[in-house]
Amino acid sequence: MQNTGTHTTAAPGAATPTHCPYCALQCGMNLTPVGGGTVEVSERADFPVNRGALCGKGRTAAAVLAPGARLTSPLVRSDDGALVPAGWDEALDRIAGNLERTRAQYGADALGVFGGGGLTNEKAYALGKFARLVLGTSQIDYNGRFCMSSAAAAGTRAFGLDRGLPFPLEDVPKTGCVILVGSNPAETMPPSLRYFTELRENGGTLIVVDPRRTKTAEQADLHLAPRPGTDLALALGMLHLVVAEGRVDEVYVEERTSGWEEARAAAMAHWPEHVERITGVSVPELREAVRLFCAPKAAMVLTARGPEQQAKGTDTVGAWINLCLATGRAGRPLSGYGCLTGQGNGQGGREHGQKADQLPGYRKLTDPAARRHVAEVWGVDPDALPGPGRSAYELLDALGTDIKSLLVMGSNPVVSAPRAAHIEGRLRSLDFLAVCDLVLSETAELADVVLPVTQWAEETGTTTNLEGRVLLRRRAITPPEGVRGDLEVLHGLAGRLGVEKGFPTEPEEVFEELRRASAGGPADYSGIDYRRLAEENGVFWPCPAPPAGDDAEPHPGTPRLFLDRFATEDGQARFAPVTHRPSAEEPDDEYPVLLTTGRVVAQYQSGAQTRRVAELNAAAPGPFVELHPRLAARLGAAEGDPLAVVSRRGRAVAPARITTGIRPDTVFMPFHWPGEGRANTLTNPALDPTSRMPEFKVCAVRVETVTS
């Protein structure tokens, strides 16, 4: 237990039930003031997702709230170039004045807004409304585009609706087989690993697809280690075998799907030997994977960033969905396809309007009916709403040219964006940059104005976890003097820019408006309120409100989707006729090795918060280059030697970590650190044509020893 959060107001011993600020599990925890201005994080056994378990990040979460770790005063750029403390009025006036000048000189679309998947639903909703109504800009997107967008696009294409998991996590141990593709929950969301352990204890099987033998892969009944960038071929090869071995559920395919013939024809071009040559996964392993998946009555495929963060990520996820559909493993109890969402509010963050092409309730910005509905809630003409803007990387790439001023809320693209050195340069080229954050991140260090904002334990708000369970985070401690909430920031800026109403500072008031804006949309929250969230430990969307005047019982929420029909117009799921294609950047003589990136257990995302926690830094003090002994021998590198990894976009240097748990043709780097070990200096911004997801997971590099 950690006793390092500060500024409590509740009496010692009064615990506040709330949720972790980090990953999409949104683990339940209790915060208890213990006197002396400290708060203790403790287990909360009543929340069904983590059932009391917390990882190291969750246990130490309060440490980031301590003085010295977090910002406690606005900062403005002085004439000599330094960031110096300022008052709130000065800081907000400076932001509003610069945004207004940019708009007057270049037009509204010269203003950009970049949000985050960690923002609460209320903040994401208000930020999207602020961009479109107050600024009048179409140029808003968020870092969730880098996380789940390919899975969202594929799920929407197949099922008519995207919700990370269409079933609760409690179903996972009860199914017969899980294929876990490109996910390492043992490190990325440790409390979830128990579900996979219980699956095996119950007689089920776990197949892990990952080019590395991760801690999760070590728990698997079968580990498939494909060459990075070939997950699409692997899925197609398995579907080929399903057809060839007569394992297709013909009745299900006929009754509940469409597009099978085209998808079948595409899969048959990927025979096992051909797939073995592409992926490096042997034909016997392919056959065993198909046998294990098809043997039980129920099975699941769960994907994460591995197959999704590719320039063909939407098609790759589509191929895994095809495997589920062909075998009748979707829209049935204890079966289905799901995405393991990454960021804390990665699900809710993409539902309520901070994404370039969406309005609240997961409505499409290009849908006239959706525009009318939301415009009516907002009290404006539908024509006043801008159209879709640029996706996240495209927005960042346009900084300093088409986009002159940028407001960033809850994101750190200097570390997290692909081709990060280029994006850092684009941020530096802006006429004006404002950043709202809990800490002085690497992006905030470049800003003209930095606003210190509340997070997590210092505010109330809702998040939506990876299951689609809407949750209530409760304020447990008072923020330090000089710190304000993001909703207060937007209220203050809106007023200075001439919009006096429509941006309340109370989260519950914002949520009540969000309910109305989402009503009737794919992500319908209209039947959810704060009281229900507190009493029921969360509610699954969609949860529509009863018609006005109806005495019916409140809608119970929807833990399990698609059991009766899919969310398409005809109720049928859609196969995707996809074929394998190479990665955007394949190895060659100059860059002969593949780089893949990911996370380690003790750090989170860009590390802006976790790198400020001593216990976590002791466990994971810095970046490294993981490589196979054969590659290390060719380089003449020993454990701990500095290695330079070079791509067409830049160079990163970090110590060698030698292991047989990675393919000889591949190196791995975690992406949590800035500076010379910044992995995203190397990564390729090639975009998926549908989701606009960059290809973080595979690029061509060379590895060199570094001499002093």
Side-chain angles (χ1 to χ4, degrees):
M1 296 180 184
Q2 191 74 14
N3 301 332
T4 51
T6 60
H7 316 291
T8 62
T9 54
T16 299
T18 189
H19 296 273
C20 181
Y22 292 119
C23 83
L25 287 179
Q26 287 296 279
C27 291
M29 56 171 55
N30 287 314
L31 296 182
T32 306
V34 292
T38 62
V39 64
E40 180 179 79
V41 175
S42 61
E43 296 81 3
R44 179 182 159 199
D46 70 305
F47 186 61
V49 175
N50 62 310
R51 292 177 278 172
L54 293 171
C55 73
K57 295 186 291 291
R59 286 188 298 99
T60 61
V64 186
L65 304 175
R70 56 91 52 75
L71 295 168
T72 56
S73 170
L75 304 173
V76 299
R77 188 74 59 183
S78 66
D79 292 340
D80 64 2
L83 281 172
V84 297
W88 270 94
D89 284 339
E90 178 187 354
L92 291 172
D93 287 347
R94 190 176 292 202
I95 295 173
N98 277 280
L99 295 178
E100 188 56 62
R101 280 190 290 274
T102 296
R103 182 167 60 182
Q105 184 173 357
Y106 299 106
D109 274 357
L111 302 174
V113 177
F114 200 80
L119 300 180
T120 62
N121 291 316
E122 292 82 357
K123 294 181 187 181
Y125 173 85
L127 187 63
K129 183 180 180 182
F130 176 83
R132 295 185 173 102
L133 289 196
V134 179
L135 301 182
T137 184
S138 65
Q139 300 304 305
I140 175 171
D141 210 76
Y142 81 125
N143 62 19
R145 178 80 68 170
F146 297 159
C147 296
M148 294 76 56
S149 56
S150 291
T156 301
R157 182 171 67 184
F159 307 128
L161 181 69
D162 159 51
R163 196 179 83 185
L165 292 181
F167 40 73
L169 273 170
E170 68 183 46
D171 285 0
V172 170
K174 303 171 187 175
T175 193
C177 178
V178 172
I179 302 179
L180 193 58
V181 189
S183 178
N184 182 18
E187 298 206 55
T188 58
M189 44 181 66
S192 73
L193 191 63
R194 66 169 58 182
Y195 291 99
F196 302 101
T197 302
E198 290 170 8
L199 166 74
R200 298 185 70 214
E201 291 172 349
N202 292 339
T205 55
L206 176 63
I207 302 170
V208 171
V209 179
D210 198 304
R212 304 167 60 224
R213 188 162 181 81
T214 63
K215 292 180 180 178
T216 304
E218 289 174 355
Q219 308 299 315
D221 297 280
L222 178 64
H223 172 213
L224 306 179
R227 183 176 177 266
T230 65
D231 308 89
L232 176 52
L234 181 68
L236 287 164
M238 290 182 65
L239 183 54
H240 178 110
L241 286 171
V242 165
V243 175
E245 295 175 359
R247 299 181 184 271
V248 176
D249 188 333
E250 302 284 359
V251 174
Y252 173 93
V253 168
E254 175 66 25
E255 293 180 350
R256 299 206 61 188
T257 72
S258 64
W260 167 235
E261 290 305 320
E262 294 85 353
R264 178 184 181 279
M268 296 317 288
H270 298 77
W271 61 97
E273 291 77 12
H274 178 51
V275 169
E276 181 180 75
R277 287 193 293 272
I278 294 171
T279 65
V281 176
S282 70
V283 173
E285 288 176 312
L286 280 172
R287 293 189 184 279
E288 178 66 1
V290 170
R291 185 190 70 80
L292 291 174
F293 183 67
C294 293
K297 182 179 179 181
M300 299 173 179
V301 173
L302 305 178
T303 68
R305 308 300 81 77
E308 298 164 16
Q309 286 181 327
Q310 299 183 30
K312 52 182 181 292
T314 301
D315 284 354
T316 300
V317 173
W320 289 105
I321 292 174
N322 285 352
L323 182 66
C324 291
L325 295 177
T327 55
R329 308 304 177 84
R332 284 178 167 172
L334 306 181
S335 286
Y337 162 77
C339 161
L340 296 177
T341 303
Q343 294 191 77
N345 197 31
Q347 181 67 53
R350 65 183 184 262
E351 294 169 0
H352 296 299
Q354 66 171 330
K355 195 162 174 274
D357 55 353
Q358 286 178 349
L359 289 169
Y362 225 146
R363 289 181 158 93
K364 292 184 181 298
L365 192 53
T366 53
D367 178 1
R371 294 171 67 88
R372 284 194 301 272
H373 175 87
V374 174
E376 182 178 357
V377 173
W378 289 352
V380 299
D381 189 304
D383 292 338
L385 302 180
R390 292 175 173 88
S391 70
Y393 179 79
E394 292 165 305
L395 188 158
L396 295 171
D397 190 40
L399 299 181
T401 53
D402 293 337
I403 298 173
K404 303 295 185 179
S405 294
L406 181 69
L407 172 65
V408 176
M409 190 171 280
S411 189
N412 187 19
V414 166
V415 178
S416 63
R419 197 185 173 197
H422 170 72
I423 295 305
E424 181 178 344
R426 301 313 318 145
L427 285 159
R428 292 180 183 276
S429 73
L430 283 164
D431 291 355
F432 181 76
L433 172 63
V435 174
C436 305
D437 211 330
L438 173 72
V439 298
L440 190 65
S441 69
E442 287 72 24
T443 302
E445 289 175 353
L446 305 182
D448 298 287
V449 179
V450 183
L451 299 180
V453 291
T454 57
Q455 292 289 330
W456 176 56
E458 301 168 342
E459 61 187 10
T460 294
T462 63
T463 62
T464 307
N465 81 344
L466 77 172
E467 308 165 296
R469 188 194 303 254
V470 185
L471 305 167
L472 182 62
R473 281 189 192 164
R474 298 167 175 89
R475 174 171 166 155
I477 54 177
T478 303
E481 184 178 353
V483 174
R484 297 185 184 179
D486 290 294
L487 296 179
E488 294 178 88
V489 170
L490 295 176
H491 173 85
L493 290 176
R496 285 166 171 80
L497 292 167
V499 180
E500 299 293 339
K501 296 181 179 180
F503 290 88
T505 59
E506 287 300 319
E508 188 168 7
E509 188 175 348
V510 177
F511 189 79
E512 288 301 304
E513 183 178 301
L514 182 157
R515 292 175 62 196
R516 299 195 302 275
S518 73
D524 190 336
Y525 284 31
S526 61
I528 304 173
D529 58 29
Y530 275 29
R531 179 193 58 78
R532 285 193 65 181
L533 294 178
E535 292 177 356
E536 299 175 31
N537 234 341
V539 179
F540 289 86
W541 72 258
C543 182
D550 195 323
D551 293 331
E553 289 293 317
H555 192 285
T558 314
R560 296 168 181 85
L561 296 170
F562 313 138
L563 295 180
D564 298 318
R565 68 190 310 274
F566 295 100
T568 56
E569 288 185 5
D570 61 6
Q572 292 189 322
R574 309 275 191 261
F575 279 96
V578 297
T579 58
H580 176 71
R581 57 186 184 273
S583 298
E585 189 175 79
E586 292 286 339
D588 56 21
D589 291 342
E590 188 175 3
Y591 301 96
V593 178
L594 291 167
L595 168 70
T596 192
T597 63
R599 287 169 49 188
V600 297
V601 67
Q603 302 288 353
Y604 179 73
Q605 302 299 83
S606 75
Q609 294 184 40
T610 52
R611 284 187 277 109
R612 287 165 168 79
V613 179
E615 180 179 327
L616 300 179
N617 281 334
F624 56 87
V625 181
E626 185 177 281
L627 72 165
H628 192 275
R630 294 216 300 263
L631 178 56
R634 288 202 299 272
L635 295 169
E639 180 78 12
D641 285 353
L643 294 177
V645 182
V646 184
S647 78
R648 290 176 172 86
R649 289 153 295 281
R651 181 175 187 264
V653 178
R657 183 173 293 182
I658 301 171
T659 174
T660 57
I662 192 168
R663 292 174 55 96
D665 59 2
T666 300
V667 295
F668 167 83
M669 291 187 71
F671 58 76
H672 309 290
W673 288 274
E676 71 170 3
R678 180 174 59 185
N680 277 322
T681 297
L682 309 169
T683 49
N684 191 353
L687 301 180
D688 181 289
T690 302
S691 68
R692 314 310 288 170
M693 166 79 84
E695 191 155 63
F696 286 98
K697 285 301 181 185
V698 53
C699 68
V701 299
R702 65 174 180 267
V703 185
E704 304 168 339
T705 55
V706 177
T707 56
S708 57

